[in-house]
C-alpha cells in the first residue's frame, strides 16, 4: 500500500510538472494557424527562424547583404576614376547608416522570436481573453501590416533602383572580376539593390510590428471604454485597467532598447549627413546627394512609425482618465436627479436655457468626423442612477487613474507628446549649433 501511494504521488507530481511546463513553455505555432501567411512572408524575407535550417539561412543572408555587400560596394565597387556625376562622396554615411539600423533590427527581432516565439511576441496567445471585436480587428490589422510594410519599402526601393540602374548603365564603373563589363555591372547592381532592399525591409519590419502591437492595445482600450457604459463595479474596472497596464509595461520593456538605439542611430546619421553636406566644398548635386537623401528619408520614416505608435497608445491610455472623470460626473448628476425627483429645479431650467444640451446626432458630431472614438469624445456617459457604485468608490477610481497614467515608457520616461517636443527641441538645437559652426568657419 505504501509503494502504491508513493507511486501515485510521484505520478501526480510528474503530471503537475508537465502541466507547468506546458503552461510556462513557449507558445508554438502549427503550420495551419492564423500566422501561416505571415510566416510565409518572413521566409521570403529570410528573417524566419522557426527551425535550425531557417536560422542558419537567416544569419547567412544577414551577413551577406548587411555586411559583406556594403563593404564590397564601398571599397571595391566605387568608381575611382569616373566623372563628377558618378562620384559617391556620401557613400560611407549611407552604408554605415543602413547597415547599422539593419543590424540593430535583425538582432532585436532574433532575440524576440528566440525568447518569446512569434505568437507570444505578437500577443496572439492572449487573444482568447479578448472580445470578438478585438480579435477580428487585430487579425485584420495583422494581415494588413504586410501591405503597410510594402507601402514604405517599395517607393524607396524604386527610387534606389532608378539611381543604381542609371549609375551602372551610364558607365559608372568597370568591374573586372567577371571579365565581361555588362555582366559585371548587372551582378554588382543586383547585389547592391538586394542589399538595400534587405536592410530597409528588416528595419521597417520591426517598426511595423511595433505599430501592430500598439494597435492591439488601442483595441483593448476601446473595448475597455465600454465598461463605463454598463453597470460595472469598481473591481472589474480596476482589474481590466491593471491588465492593460501590465501589457503596456511588457511592450515598453521589450522595445525600449530598440527605440532608444534607433533614435541614437538615426540622430547620428542625420548629424553626419548634415556635417558633410554643410561643408564649403560639398557638392549637393542630385547625382551625388540623392542616395543620401533617400537613406535619410527611409530612416526618418521608420523612426516616425515608432514614435507615432508610442505616442498614440500613450494618448489613448491617458484618455481613460478623462473618460472616468466624465463617467463620475454623469453618475453623480444622475444620482442627485434620482434623489430629488423628476421635477427639475428652477436653476436647472435657467441653465438649460443659457446652455442648451444638444443631441448626439447634431451637426456638431458630424463636424468632428472620425476624430472621436469610445475613449476620446465629447458625449455624455449614460450612467445608471441606481448603480451600486457609491460616490466614494467612483472618486477613488478617478483618483487612481489620475495618479497611475498608463502608456509606453522609455526607461521611466513616458513617450507622450511632451517627450516628442523634447526630442524635437534637442534635434533643432543640434542642427542650429552645427549650422552656427559651419557659418563661422565660412566667415
Amino acid at each position: 500500500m505504501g509503494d502504491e501511494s508513493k507511486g501515485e504521488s510521484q505520478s501526480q507530481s510528474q503530471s503537475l510538472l508537465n502541466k507547468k511546463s506546458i503552461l510556462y513553455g513557449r507558445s508554438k505555432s502549427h503550420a495551419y494557424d492564423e500566422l501561416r501567411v505571415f510566416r510565409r512572408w518572413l521566409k521570403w524575407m529570410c528573417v524566419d527562424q522557426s527551425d535550425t535550417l531557417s536560422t542558419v539561412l537567416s544569419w547567412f543572408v544577414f551577413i551577406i547583404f548587411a555586411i559583406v555587400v556594403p563593404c564590397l560596394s564601398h571599397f571595391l565597387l566605387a568608381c575611382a576614376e569616373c566623372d563628377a556625376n558618378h562620384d559617391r562622396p556620401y557613400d560611407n554615411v549611407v552604408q554605415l547608416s543602413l547597415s547599422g539600423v539593419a543590424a540593430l533590427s535583425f538582432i532585436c527581432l532574433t532575440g524576440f522570436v528566440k525568447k518569446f516565439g512569434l505568437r507570444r511576441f505578437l500577443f496572439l496567445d492572449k487573444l482568447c481573453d479578448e472580445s470578438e471585436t478585438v480579435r477580428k480587428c487585430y487579425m485584420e490589422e495583422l494581415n494588413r501590416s504586410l501591405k503597410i510594410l510594402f507601402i514604405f519599402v517599395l517607393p524607396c526601393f524604386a527610387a534606389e533602383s532608378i539611381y543604381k540602374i542609371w549609375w551602372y548603365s551610364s558607365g559608372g564603373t568597370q568591374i573586372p572580376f567577371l571579365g565581361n563589363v555588362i555582366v559585371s555591372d548587372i551582378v554588382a547592381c543586383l547585389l547592391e539593390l538586394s542589399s538595400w532592399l534587405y536592410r530597409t525591409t528588416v528595419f521597417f519590419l520591426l517598426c511595423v510590428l511595433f505599430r501592430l502591437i500598439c494597435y492591439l492595445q488601442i483595441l483593448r482600450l476601446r473595448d475597455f471604454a465600454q465598461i463605463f457604459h454598463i453597470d460595472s463595479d469598481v473591481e472589474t474596472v480596476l482589474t481590466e485597467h491593471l491588465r492593460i497596464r501590465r501589457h503596456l509595461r511588457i511592450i515598453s520593456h521589450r522595445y525600449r532598447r530598440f527605440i532608444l538605439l534607433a533614435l541614437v542611430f538615426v540622430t547620428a546619421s542625420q548629424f553626419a549627413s548634415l556635417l558633410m553636406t554643410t561643408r564649403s566644398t560639398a557638392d549637393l548635386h542630385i547625382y551625388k546627394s540623392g542616395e543620401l537623401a533617400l537613406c535619410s528619408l527611409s530612416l526618418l520614416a521608420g523612426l516616425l512609425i515608432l514614435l507615432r505608435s508610442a505616442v498614440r497608445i500613450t494618448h489613448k491610455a491617458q484618455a481613460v482618465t478623462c473618460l472616468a472623470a466624465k463617467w463620475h460626473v454623469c453618475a453623480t448628476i444622475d444620482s442627485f436627479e434620482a434623489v430629488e425627483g423628476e421635477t427639475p429645479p428652477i436653476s436647472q431650467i435657467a441653465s438649460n436655457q443659457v446652455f442648451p444640451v444638444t443631441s448626439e446626432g447634431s451637426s456638431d458630431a458630424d463636424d468632428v468626423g472620425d476624430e472621436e472614438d469610445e475613449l476620446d469624445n465629447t458625449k455624455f456617459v449614460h450612467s445608471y442612477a441606481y448603480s451600486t457604485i457609491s460616490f466614494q468608490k467612483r472618486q477613488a477610481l478617478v483618483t487612481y487613474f489620475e495618479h497611475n497614467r498608463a502608456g509606453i515608457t522609455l526607461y521611466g520616461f513616458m513617450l507622450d507628446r511632451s517627450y516628442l517636443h523634447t526630442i524635437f527641441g534637442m534635434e533643432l538645437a543640434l542642427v542650429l549649433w552645427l549650422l552656427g559652426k559651419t557659418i563661422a568657419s565660412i566667415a
Side-chain angles (χ1 to χ4, degrees):
M1 293 293 293
D3 295 338
E4 292 180 358
S5 60
K6 186 182 295 184
E8 290 179 357
S9 62
Q10 290 179 354
S11 62
Q12 290 178 358
S13 61
Q14 187 67 28
S15 63
L16 288 175
L17 290 175
N18 294 332
K19 289 181 180 179
K20 288 184 178 180
S21 62
I22 294 175
L23 180 62
Y24 295 107
R26 197 172 98 175
S27 179
K28 299 181 179 180
S29 301
H30 51 84
Y32 301 98
D33 63 354
E34 62 274 11
L35 287 174
R36 59 183 182 275
V37 178
F38 196 79
R39 288 186 181 275
R40 190 181 303 121
W41 279 107
L42 291 182
K43 288 182 178 294
W44 277 103
M45 290 184 286
C46 297
V47 293
D48 179 51
Q49 298 186 7
S50 57
D51 51 24
T52 305
L53 181 61
S54 300
T55 303
V56 174
L57 179 61
S58 177
W59 277 98
F60 176 77
V61 172
F62 167 74
I63 294 174
I64 292 297
F65 289 116
I67 300 177
V68 176
V69 173
C71 291
L72 293 177
S73 173
H74 181 68
F75 293 105
L76 298 180
L77 305 183
C79 181
E81 299 179 356
C82 55
D83 55 5
N85 290 334
H86 294 85
D87 189 18
R88 298 191 296 183
Y90 311 112
D91 184 68
N92 52 352
V93 178
V94 173
Q95 301 298 344
L96 287 176
S97 301
L98 290 178
S99 296
V101 296
L104 173 64
S105 304
F106 182 81
I107 293 174
C108 290
L109 182 61
T110 301
F112 292 152
V113 176
K114 183 179 180 181
K115 184 176 181 180
F116 306 107
L118 190 59
R119 292 181 60 84
R120 285 184 59 193
F121 175 63
L122 297 178
F123 289 91
L124 290 176
D125 58 326
K126 305 294 184 181
L127 285 183
C128 57
D129 301 328
E130 307 298 335
S131 62
E132 182 65 27
T133 304
V134 174
R135 291 196 296 266
K136 181 180 178 182
C137 294
Y138 184 62
M139 295 311 301
E140 291 177 355
E141 189 68 19
L142 175 64
N143 297 326
R144 199 172 70 95
S145 59
L146 293 174
K147 298 180 182 179
I148 299 175
L149 173 65
F150 294 138
I151 287 175
F152 284 97
V153 172
L154 292 182
C156 298
F157 178 70
E160 177 68 13
S161 300
I162 294 173
Y163 172 77
K164 289 297 182 183
I165 291 173
W166 167 83
W167 197 82
Y168 280 97
S169 62
S170 59
T173 184
Q174 293 183 359
I175 305 171
F177 63 87
L178 290 177
N180 192 308
V181 176
I182 298 178
V183 176
S184 302
D185 289 344
I186 292 176
V187 171
C189 182
L190 290 178
L191 285 176
E192 286 204 82
L193 289 178
S194 300
S195 176
W196 179 283
L197 179 62
Y198 176 80
R199 289 180 290 177
T200 53
T201 301
V202 171
F203 176 57
F204 277 112
L205 175 63
L206 202 55
C207 297
V208 170
L209 289 181
F210 178 72
R211 177 188 176 276
L212 175 66
I213 295 173
C214 289
Y215 182 77
L216 173 60
Q217 309 311 314
I218 293 177
L219 292 176
R220 284 172 170 169
L221 286 171
R222 291 176 180 175
D223 196 55
F224 171 71
Q226 302 299 327
I227 295 181
F228 295 98
H229 297 275
I230 60 177
D231 192 11
S232 303
D233 56 344
V234 174
E235 183 180 359
T236 303
V237 178
L238 184 59
T239 302
E240 185 65 21
H241 188 262
L242 289 175
R243 188 172 71 93
I244 294 176
R245 284 194 63 195
R246 183 168 58 252
H247 291 164
L248 292 177
R249 188 180 295 112
I250 291 173
I251 297 173
S252 302
H253 183 76
R254 291 179 183 177
Y255 264 92
R256 59 185 181 181
R257 294 180 181 177
F258 174 72
I259 295 176
L260 181 61
L261 292 178
L263 182 60
V264 171
F265 270 101
V266 174
T267 302
S269 174
Q270 301 307 306
F271 180 78
S273 302
L274 189 62
L275 185 62
M276 296 185 67
T277 54
T278 53
R279 293 182 299 182
S280 58
T281 58
D283 188 1
L284 299 181
H285 199 276
I286 185 64
Y287 298 111
K288 294 184 178 181
S289 60
E291 192 174 16
L292 179 63
L294 186 61
C295 172
S296 301
L297 182 63
S298 302
L299 297 183
L300 288 175
L303 183 63
L304 287 178
I305 292 175
L306 292 174
L307 295 180
R308 182 183 181 275
S309 301
V311 171
R312 187 184 179 193
I313 184 61
T314 302
H315 174 72
K316 295 296 183 182
Q318 293 181 356
V320 175
T321 304
C322 178
L323 180 62
K326 183 171 61 175
W327 163 75
H328 178 37
V329 171
C330 293
T332 304
I333 294 174
D334 289 346
S335 62
F336 274 104
E337 289 180 353
V339 172
E340 294 176 1
E342 298 181 356
T343 304
I346 300 176
S347 60
Q348 181 178 351
I349 297 176
S351 63
N352 289 336
Q353 292 177 356
V354 177
F355 304 105
V357 179
T358 59
S359 61
E360 295 181 358
S362 62
S363 59
D364 292 338
D366 298 333
D367 294 337
V368 174
D370 297 332
E371 297 179 2
E372 292 188 350
D373 54 10
E374 292 83 358
L375 285 168
D376 192 4
N377 58 67
T378 56
K379 300 177 181 179
F380 277 86
V381 179
H382 299 288
S383 58
Y384 290 82
Y386 299 99
S387 176
T388 57
I389 304 179
S390 62
F391 177 87
Q392 290 78 9
K393 290 183 179 181
R394 295 196 305 267
Q395 182 63 37
L397 187 63
V398 173
T399 305
Y400 163 79
F401 284 139
E402 290 177 351
H403 293 84
N404 294 272
R405 296 182 180 272
I408 302 298
T409 58
L410 188 63
Y411 291 99
F413 296 96
M414 189 72 67
L415 285 176
D416 52 6
R417 293 173 180 176
S418 61
Y419 189 82
L420 283 187
H421 296 162
T422 304
I423 295 177
F424 177 76
M426 294 173 59
E427 300 286 344
L428 183 60
L430 183 63
V431 171
L432 293 178
W433 173 81
L434 184 59
L435 288 178
K437 292 291 184 180
T438 304
I439 295 173
S441 62
I442 294 176

